[in-house]
Amino acid sequence: MTMQKNGMARTSIMAAAAFGLCLACGAASAQDLGNLGSNLSGKLGSLGGTGSMSSGSMGNVAGLLQYCVKNNYLGGDSGASGIAGKLLGKTDGGSNNSDYQSGLSGMLKGSNGHTTDLSSVGGGNSDLKSKITTKACDVVLKQGKSFLGH
């Protein structure tokens, strides 16, 4: 039994290390996991408005929240749809806003000009894509709340 626990712990540690390594890699295109590592870790680390990235705009956050809800990365009890609606109401151009439209398709646009396409992260690994996108959606939700003073 002890051996099984150690094996499970070792597997969890190896999985976490692999996940961390994937996020740290610096590979080819803007839509692959390597670039996600350099872009997303910096973006996600500071989405709360205290770093170089405040997700680009309220419109992009509103669209991303809708993307996250539609694709089941945020639970129905998260309040994300309501927050997205309130943010959209404060966005120039409303639903016609280009940043909002980008967010609806899963495009995270940073204030520094970098973009990350959440719809194509994970390098073909659906489990990894789900974990990365869920984390991104959680952080975007926090940023949306902070935009509204919650």
Side-chain angles (χ1 to χ4, degrees), residues 27-89:
S29 77
Q31 296 174 345
D32 72 5
L33 188 58
N35 198 28
L36 177 71
S38 60
N39 284 336
L40 195 60
S41 62
K43 291 175 186 176
L44 294 180
S46 59
L47 273 177
T50 59
S52 63
M53 161 76 182
S54 50
S55 177
S57 71
M58 252 190 253
N60 189 237
V61 170
L64 282 164
L65 288 174
Q66 294 292 15
Y67 170 84
C68 294
V69 169
K70 175 184 168 194
N71 292 288
N72 298 315
Y73 293 111
L74 289 172
D77 61 344
S78 68
S81 290
I83 290 168
K86 289 177 185 175
L87 291 172
L88 186 57

